[in-house]
Amino acid sequence: MKSRSQIRENALQFLYLLSYQPDDKDKQREMFIEAQGLASEDLPFFDCLVEGVLTHEAELDKEIEPQLVDWRLSRLPILDRNILRMALFELNYLEEVPEAVSISEAVNLAKKYCDDKAGPYINAVLGKLARERG
């Protein structure tokens, strides 16, 4: 069984894959799960994140877009966009995950996969969204 951090990372990787190869998602999911060694206990959280982002993408984007300073969401790198979407999905729908954890995990993913400016930027956007929620 993987940690939630590792599962988040796998969910981000799968969302990235789907950005380039959106066809036959179920077959790709099967191959991805096998290649990444996800256990059956890992799948509920993995599927929750992936399906949550895909299902609520337009709504999440609508919430994120006004927070972007001098940027359009469509111009952000795919990984940055998916990190923001995944963290906001957690903030909006996964009450059992503390806000600080969702934001911290998003920043850690940005530090690992994105350029140096992404971590602080993602932290600022998510922090503002979290404060607006009250």
Side-chain angles (χ1 to χ4, degrees), residues 9-120:
E9 185 172 349
N10 287 142
L12 176 65
Q13 292 166 340
F14 188 63
L15 288 166
Y16 182 78
L17 173 75
L18 290 177
S19 298
Y20 287 101
Q21 299 174 348
D23 300 332
D24 202 1
K25 183 179 70 146
D26 294 336
K27 178 73 172 162
Q28 288 194 66
R29 178 185 172 277
E30 247 177 68
M31 292 186 313
F32 183 85
I33 286 168
E34 186 177 326
Q36 294 301 318
L38 285 156
S40 59
E41 303 87 39
D42 302 329
L43 298 181
F45 189 55
F46 174 83
D47 288 332
C48 175
L49 292 174
V50 170
E51 292 305 321
V53 168
L54 294 176
T55 301
H56 298 283
E57 185 175 315
E59 162 201 325
L60 297 169
D61 288 356
K62 212 179 212 178
E63 224 176 310
I64 293 166
E65 185 92 46
Q67 308 305 323
L68 303 178
V69 179
D70 299 329
W71 279 92
R72 304 267 321 143
L73 192 62
S74 60
R75 290 192 55 227
L76 284 181
I78 291 170
L79 283 167
D80 297 26
R81 243 183 314 196
N82 281 324
I83 289 170
L84 285 167
R85 287 172 179 156
M86 198 163 63
L88 184 57
F89 171 75
E90 284 189 36
L91 291 172
N92 288 350
Y93 294 98
L94 302 183
E95 293 177 12
E96 73 275 11
V97 180
E99 283 181 354
V101 171
S102 295
I103 294 170
S104 176
E105 292 284 334
V107 170
N108 289 338
L109 286 169
K111 286 178 182 175
K112 184 169 184 175
Y113 288 101
C114 307
D115 72 28
D116 293 344
K117 296 175 187 163

